[in-house]
């Protein structure tokens, strides 16, 4: 019996199984690379910051009803800048300020009762 001949199918089977396991793991198993995991973590942190600070921003906006009327008159594209200039997101880190301002503007405008 030749040992080389009996090991060859075993080696090919192990290599094929490893490739199949990797392909299945990444395609359906939910495996991700380190870079993708980092991006997912950043997105999760950003959404947590928005969820935490947006109610505070809306409460600040509701304390200034005259500013809410002006906010509603602003175009959709410039509402987040209005919120930043109004100072309603001053307590938010610069990194997340625009995202919180955008969510705050949307919530404040949608929360207003129409006249």
């Amino acid at each position: 019996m030749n040992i080389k001949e009996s090991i060859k199918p075993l080696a090919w089977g192990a290599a094929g199984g490893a490739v199949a396991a990797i392909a299945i793991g990444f395609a359906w198993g939910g495996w991700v690379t380190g870079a993708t995991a980092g991006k997912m973590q950043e997105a999760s942190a950003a959404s947590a910051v928005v969820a935490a600070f947006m109610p505070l921003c809306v409460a600040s906006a509701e304390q200034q009803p005259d500013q809410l009327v002006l906010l509603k008159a602003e175009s959709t594209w410039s509402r987040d800048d209005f919120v930043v200039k109004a100072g309603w997101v001053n307590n938010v880190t610069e990194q997340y300020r625009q995202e919180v301002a955008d969510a705050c503007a949307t919530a404040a405008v949608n929360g207003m009762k129409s006249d």
Side-chain angles (χ1 to χ4, degrees):
M1 183 167 154
N2 192 347
I3 295 177
K4 287 185 178 182
E5 291 297 321
S6 63
I7 292 179
K8 194 182 276 187
L10 178 66
W12 280 109
V19 170
I22 290 170
I24 291 170
F26 278 103
W28 297 299
W31 297 359
V32 293
T33 62
T36 302
K39 290 176 186 176
M40 291 168 64
Q41 180 209 9
E42 288 175 18
S44 178
S47 65
V49 168
V50 170
F53 282 103
M54 193 260 305
L56 298 172
C57 176
V58 172
S60 296
E62 289 173 347
Q63 293 175 357
Q64 299 175 0
D66 56 327
Q67 293 293 316
L68 276 175
V69 172
L70 295 174
L71 175 64
K72 191 172 182 180
E74 285 285 325
S75 71
T76 305
W77 298 104
S78 61
R79 287 181 178 159
D80 56 344
D81 292 330
F82 182 91
V83 169
V84 171
K85 290 176 186 171
W88 298 338
V89 290
N90 285 345
N91 57 346
V92 180
T93 306
E94 185 69 33
Q95 180 181 0
Y96 302 112
R97 191 168 290 159
Q98 283 301 123
E99 292 178 60
V100 173
D102 187 39
C104 176
T106 301
V109 169
N110 290 338
M112 290 180 61
K113 295 179 181 173
S114 58
D115 299 320

